[in-house]
Amino acid sequence: MQRHDSPRPGSRAACGALLAAGLLFASPGFADGRDCDGKRSIRLVNGKIHTMDKRDRVVSSVLIEDGKFASVGGHGAGADGCTKVINLRGRTAVPGLIDNHNHIILLGLRPGNDVRLDKARSIGKALELLAAKAAELEHGEWVVSLGGLHRNQFVPPPDPARFPNLTELSAALPNNPVLLFEGFAGPAQTNALGKAFFESKGIPVNDDGTIAGVFPTGPALAALQALRDLPEHNNLEAQIQGLLSALEFGLSVGLTTHVDQGSFHFAESYFGNTGTALDGLASFDQYRAFDSVRALHAKGELPARVQVNYLHIEPDPETPQLEQRLNNTVPLLGDEWLSNGGIGEFTGGAPFGGLGSPAWMNGTRLVAQRGWRNENHSLSSTDFVTILEFWKSVNEELRTSGIPQTPANPDPLKLSVVNPDGITELRWVLAHVPFITPQYIDLSRELGVGLSVLGGWRWLSGSAGGNGPPFRTILDRGARAGMSSDGMQISVMDPWTGMYYAVTGKNARGQLINGGQTISRKEVLRLYTADNAWFLGPDWERKLGTIEEGKWADLVVLSDDYFNESKVSDEEILDIHSVLTIVNGKVVHDELDGKKTGKKPHRKSRRAHGHGWFK
């Protein structure tokens, strides 16, 4: 993999904002910046810095140089005028958090001005966040929260779960239409301005502003998307700003690395529909969806790391599209900011009910034969059986006789490929696994498969029957595991919600639904850091996940002492966020003084230069 360690654009702007906030102490040589280009360093001091390394060290200081940790716990070099010193004043810091399975690119493509409501556990907080976004916008611009929320989170028992209603939303946002959208296909909620807009399009809205799920929420979402697609709008610029907003929220909760799992691509594939009403929030153009992340990367303005997996839903048994993709690129192609990853979270077949189909089996064999990473998801009590049993067969085929290059229509002129390790070194991943059993946990370990587990969507809408994953059993049986969010359609992106669920087993209604499967705070944080690095592939794994000398300098300073159970209750885990996020040695989120540094310009005049995405 090619490395680019030179300073990224925007570093002077970030340093200037930090100096203005009075957070740094440095010599005049740093302040004027004349002699520091290419050699600036950061020293964090007086902290409780949990390295999450194999010795589980907690140190008080680290030195960052050239985007890497240069010294951990020692004094090290870097004491010249190009070193900025940040006094943590006893705050807790951890490695940058890794989300091994989400849909961050898709979130950036949402129409309107998105607000993440992950931290909103009351009607009042939701209205506050939505109104704050409206205050940045012109009258008439849409404020939305599309996916990654559930009415369960806003009202505590015994009152019934509900959205903020039309009256509340209209009072909080009198000048901007609003749409809140639950899950893939609704139901949804709007205010008076939104109701008037949708009814003008022939879309029925109830008197309280609710919009029924699937129909008419599908047409309502399509009407909003049609506004985004008007010729006068700069779609690429809107997509760039949408992605920056999504990544910025991630940085505010400590997420520094995302593994994007793609999306359905109904609209330009084989299923005979336009992708507007039937797939809701879950579809994008598989060829153009990555324009925004590529544009930011080309300008050196990505504030977080992104790996991209290619979700595949091709029903043709011979999977010619998949074969062309595998023929024309290689896995883990990119640099430390943007890289492709693997195939998944589907590998051929239809999106629903495709497991075990000829296309899915052929796609799986092709991915194995070409040596790619592969990811599939398991939601039911039988999915993991189908997947792991077939993977076991593919492993044996690859290890012994080899897999033909075109298994659906073998060509004798094409040689089979034998790999004595089978799939065990390819880092295949089985995601979600809420109901996986000990037998198949053990099989995943034998096959070298990682289990991507999560809690946010069970926190939102889980029940005693829809609970899991079995965190405790997975760890006790020594399986490879890491945490993810599966945000942002049916789940929150916020990692602290996932950690809360793993630690308590409680959903958003305060009900204990996953008792007996809870794990400790340190165990789940390790699943978000050191253990999650494995899911990024061998090259990134060596450089991320822990705070150690020579690794990429990704670090998060927390709003509270997560590890101190006497100071931070389990319920207060939900409120934890980042007050300082550093990625590759650059400060990309900063509210150490109680407010974010820098000022985000109005959306219409905003340009993604330097660190202009800061609020």
Side-chain angles (χ1 to χ4, degrees), residues 106-162:
L106 187 58
L107 176 60
L109 299 174
R110 298 279 200 265
N113 299 276
D114 183 76
V115 179
R116 290 295 87 198
L117 296 179
D118 300 31
K119 296 288 193 183
R121 300 196 306 281
S122 69
I123 295 291
K125 184 62 175 178
L127 294 173
E128 175 189 331
L129 292 171
L130 294 166
K133 173 60 73 174
E136 301 176 358
L137 305 174
E138 293 183 354
H139 290 188
E141 292 191 83
W142 278 88
V143 176
V144 301
S145 190
L146 305 179
L149 59 88
H150 195 282
R151 74 202 88 166
N152 282 345
Q153 73 189 87
F154 301 120
V155 181
D159 293 330
R162 68 174 179 90

Side-chain angles (χ1 to χ4, degrees), residues 342-343 347 360-361 363-376 387-388 390-395 398 403 422-431 444 447-452 480 534-535:
I343 304 298
T347 318
W360 176 77
M361 291 189 290
T364 301
R365 285 189 166 104
L366 278 176
V367 173
Q369 185 263 325
R370 305 298 170 84
W372 275 65
R373 292 156 65 194
N374 182 23
E375 181 159 349
N376 276 195
I387 294 168
L388 287 172
F390 188 69
W391 285 4
K392 180 181 178 181
S393 298
V394 170
N395 179 65
L398 191 61
I403 296 174
I423 69 170
T424 61
E425 299 299 322
L426 299 182
R427 305 199 180 204
W428 284 21
V429 176
L430 187 56
S444 76
L447 293 175
V449 167
L451 302 178
S452 172
R480 174 81 64 182
W534 180 89
F535 291 79

Side-chain angles (χ1 to χ4, degrees), residues 318-363:
E318 296 193 28
T319 59
Q321 276 197 349
L322 177 60
E323 183 154 19
Q324 286 302 310
R325 185 184 293 281
L326 298 175
N327 283 344
N328 289 285
T329 190
V330 295
L332 291 177
L333 179 66
D335 60 18
E336 73 267 42
W337 290 96
L338 179 63
S339 169
N340 66 13
I343 304 298
E345 64 185 285
F346 294 91
T347 318
F352 306 107
L355 291 177
S357 69
W360 176 77
M361 291 189 290
N362 184 58

Side-chain angles (χ1 to χ4, degrees), residues 19-39:
L19 284 166
L23 299 174
L24 308 178
F25 301 89
S27 73
F30 169 74
D32 61 32
R34 288 191 297 252
D35 302 317
C36 293
D37 285 344
K39 56 181 181 180

Side-chain angles (χ1 to χ4, degrees), residues 169-507:
L169 288 169
S170 298
L173 294 90
N175 302 311
N176 298 83
V178 181
L179 183 64
L180 310 181
F181 198 99
E182 185 178 287
F184 287 106
Q189 176 73 49
T190 191
N191 65 351
L193 289 176
K195 185 174 188 293
F197 168 80
F198 290 125
E199 289 179 338
S200 75
K201 304 294 183 183
I203 298 165
V205 180
N206 297 323
D207 290 343
D208 63 356
T210 56
I211 305 174
V214 184
F215 296 101
T217 50
L221 181 62
L224 200 57
Q225 290 170 328
L227 292 180
R228 176 198 60 189
D229 296 336
L230 291 174
E232 62 265 28
H233 292 174
N234 184 331
N235 285 334
L236 179 57
E237 180 67 14
Q239 291 169 16
I240 289 171
Q241 295 303 327
L243 180 58
L244 283 174
S245 178
L247 293 170
E248 181 190 58
F249 177 80
L251 295 169
S252 77
V253 291
L255 288 171
T256 59
T257 300
H258 304 263
V259 182
D260 182 83
Q261 298 290 336
S263 181
F264 301 145
H265 32 271
F266 294 144
E268 24 65 57
S269 60
Y270 312 90
F271 295 92
N273 67 76
T274 62
T276 54
L278 295 182
D279 62 306
L281 295 178
S283 183
F284 64 32
D285 182 332
Q286 64 174 320
Y287 302 110
R288 303 310 304 270
F290 305 105
D291 288 354
S292 56
V293 72
R294 291 175 61 244
L296 285 171
H297 180 257
K299 294 187 290 184
E301 293 171 1
L302 266 178
R305 306 184 196 276
V306 179
Q307 272 196 16
V308 172
N309 278 5
Y310 301 109
L311 184 151
H312 206 73
I313 54 171
E314 183 178 11
D316 187 326
E318 296 193 28
T319 59
Q321 276 197 349
L322 177 60
E323 183 154 19
Q324 286 302 310
R325 185 184 293 281
L326 298 175
N327 283 344
N328 289 285
T329 190
V330 295
L332 291 177
L333 179 66
D335 60 18
E336 73 267 42
W337 290 96
L338 179 63
S339 169
N340 66 13
I343 304 298
E345 64 185 285
F346 294 91
T347 318
F352 306 107
L355 291 177
S357 69
W360 176 77
M361 291 189 290
N362 184 58
T364 301
R365 285 189 166 104
L366 278 176
V367 173
Q369 185 263 325
R370 305 298 170 84
W372 275 65
R373 292 156 65 194
N374 182 23
E375 181 159 349
N376 276 195
H377 83 204
S378 168
L379 294 177
S380 77
S381 60
T382 59
D383 289 348
F384 61 86
V385 177
T386 302
I387 294 168
L388 287 172
E389 288 290 352
F390 188 69
W391 285 4
K392 180 181 178 181
S393 298
V394 170
N395 179 65
E396 187 62 19
E397 290 176 12
L398 191 61
R399 193 181 63 82
T400 55
S401 59
I403 296 174
Q405 292 188 16
T406 54
N409 185 23
D411 183 340
L413 297 179
K414 293 185 177 181
L415 300 177
S416 297
V417 175
V418 176
N419 182 343
D421 293 322
I423 69 170
T424 61
E425 299 299 322
L426 299 182
R427 305 199 180 204
W428 284 21
V429 176
L430 187 56
H432 312 333
V433 293
F435 306 118
I436 193 168
T437 61
Q439 174 187 351
Y440 285 92
I441 293 172
D442 292 346
L443 180 56
S444 76
R445 189 185 65 245
E446 293 165 12
L447 293 175
V449 167
L451 302 178
S452 172
V453 292
L454 76 169
W457 56 291
R458 289 311 202 202
W459 176 80
L460 278 177
S461 57
S463 64
N467 57 3
F471 298 110
R472 183 75 272 154
T473 303
I474 288 170
L475 294 190
D476 286 349
R477 300 188 82 85
R480 174 81 64 182
M483 285 292 287
S484 72
S485 69
D486 198 23
M488 287 39 81
Q489 284 67 253
I490 59 171
S491 180
V492 297
M493 191 200 309
D494 178 27
W496 304 99
T497 302
M499 286 190 245
Y500 168 83
Y501 177 78
V503 167
T504 68
K506 294 180 181 179
N507 65 13

